Amino acid sequence: MSKWTVESIKEAYPYLYETHLHTSQGSLCGRAEGREMADACKKAGYTGIFVTDHNWGGNTAADRSLPWETWVSEFAKGYLDAKEEGERIGLDVFFGWEAGFQGTEFLIFGLSPEWLAAHPEIREAGIEEQYRLVRADGGMVIHAHPFREEAYIPEIRLFPEFVDGSEGMNATHTSPLSASHKSGNYDRKARAYAKEHGLVMTAGSDVHSTNIFGGGTAFARKLSDDKDFIQAIQSGEDYVLTDGFSWYSREGELLCTAAREEGEKE
């Protein structure tokens, strides 16, 4: 029997970070602006969030025909609004994005809108070149929901040599609060993939509205910034993964699951 309960995990790892979040300003599929998302996440108990809107290769809300620096300014509006609100209410807000390559998607952490504006070459970069550019300046590349099956994903493509890790839990797959992409098998495969290739894992909700799922990556300490997040993930620091109901170790082992309503299944 596991020594862990939901209560003991939250006590041991009280600092929860949402690593996969969309706003309506940066993502066409987003349902709420950055300010609203920040407020909802603060009320849900998060310490911090990464705003990871869809970039030019995905379902972006920013006009792709704009000059590059103007596009970046438009793209970053959701993040900037969330950050301003976060500073007001006591929520850490970090910048990231979800990069799309014909349905295969990656979460990029540790860089800034200023970095993006200064690197227009990334717009034409392939997956290998993206990894080189991001890593060169201390960023991190995580394969988002690598085994999700949807119409917009023509095939499952894996690139273990060009990522730092795998999204081991995506709450849209498993949370009873989610209405899309439902299959716990997607995450089981993602965790097995990470273990097979020695990749780190993160967890996030992939949330698009103020209906907050509670997924994310939780730590025993408060992180100082996005670079600290990367350092903690890559250095082997202890943390846990959650979809808001089930909790896993950083190695992908189930620790405990909250009681669910009758009829709810992972």
Side-chain angles (χ1 to χ4, degrees):
M1 179 181 293
S2 172
K3 68 174 182 176
W4 293 106
T5 65
V6 172
E7 291 73 20
S8 66
I9 286 179
K10 289 184 176 181
E11 182 176 352
Y13 303 93
Y15 300 100
L16 179 62
Y17 293 83
E18 175 60 86
T19 67
H20 195 160
L21 177 147
H22 297 277
T23 74
S24 59
Q25 292 143 294
S27 300
L28 281 176
C29 47
R31 299 292 184 86
E33 294 188 351
R35 190 176 308 276
E36 299 171 282
M37 296 300 291
D39 284 336
C41 286
K42 176 66 176 179
K43 290 173 183 174
Y46 285 95
T47 302
I49 63 174
F50 282 86
V51 176
T52 56
D53 279 316
H54 289 289
N55 78 344
W56 54 92
N59 199 21
T60 189
D63 184 350
R64 293 178 180 84
S65 69
L66 291 170
W68 176 246
E69 291 188 10
T70 305
W71 183 89
V72 172
S73 295
E74 290 295 310
F75 175 70
K77 281 184 176 179
Y79 156 72
L80 293 171
D81 279 3
K83 183 173 176 59
E84 181 179 353
E85 182 68 1
E87 290 171 352
R88 187 184 72 81
I89 63 178
L91 178 77
D92 291 337
V93 178
F94 307 127
F95 180 71
W97 67 89
E98 187 167 12
F101 294 86
Q102 297 179 336
T104 303
E105 295 177 306
F106 304 89
L107 297 170
I108 310 299
F109 301 119
L111 302 175
S112 67
E114 291 76 19
W115 183 94
L116 203 54
H119 291 79
E121 67 274 21
I122 198 168
R123 190 169 193 170
E124 303 301 324
I127 292 169
E128 179 177 358
E129 180 65 2
Q130 169 185 261
Y131 186 60
R132 186 191 70 78
L133 288 168
V134 170
R135 286 300 303 273
D137 285 319
M140 182 168 68
V141 180
I142 299 292
H143 195 148
H145 44 71
F147 290 92
R148 177 182 291 174
E149 298 177 18
E150 287 289 355
Y152 78 91
I153 304 174
E155 62 178 324
I156 301 300
R157 298 185 298 161
L158 303 175
F159 301 89
E161 67 272 38
F162 302 130
V163 298
D164 297 299
S166 168
E167 190 176 46
M169 292 195 79
N170 182 297
T172 62
H173 298 159
T174 53
S175 171
L177 302 176
S178 170
S180 61
H181 312 310
K182 298 284 282 190
S183 174
N185 197 41
Y186 301 155
D187 288 351
R188 284 189 285 272
K189 288 181 177 181
R191 291 191 292 271
Y193 166 63
K195 290 179 184 180
E196 178 184 355
H197 293 279
L199 302 172
V200 298
M201 293 184 233
T202 64
S205 295
D206 201 355
V207 66
H208 288 69
S209 75
T210 55
N211 177 30
I212 301 302
F213 300 157
T217 306
F219 298 85
R221 65 177 180 89
K222 189 176 188 294
L223 304 177
S224 58
D225 55 26
D226 55 350
K227 297 292 189 184
D228 194 20
F229 172 78
I230 293 173
Q231 173 66 18
I233 295 292
Q234 294 185 333
S235 68
E237 184 171 326
D238 194 21
Y239 61 89
V240 294
L241 314 171
T242 184
D243 63 356
F245 288 84
S246 295
W247 297 78
Y248 286 75
S249 71
R250 64 183 298 274
E251 294 86 12
E253 301 301 323
L254 179 65
L255 301 176
C256 71
T257 300
R260 297 175 183 241
E261 297 296 326
E262 185 177 352
E264 290 174 351
K265 296 180 181 179
E266 182 178 336

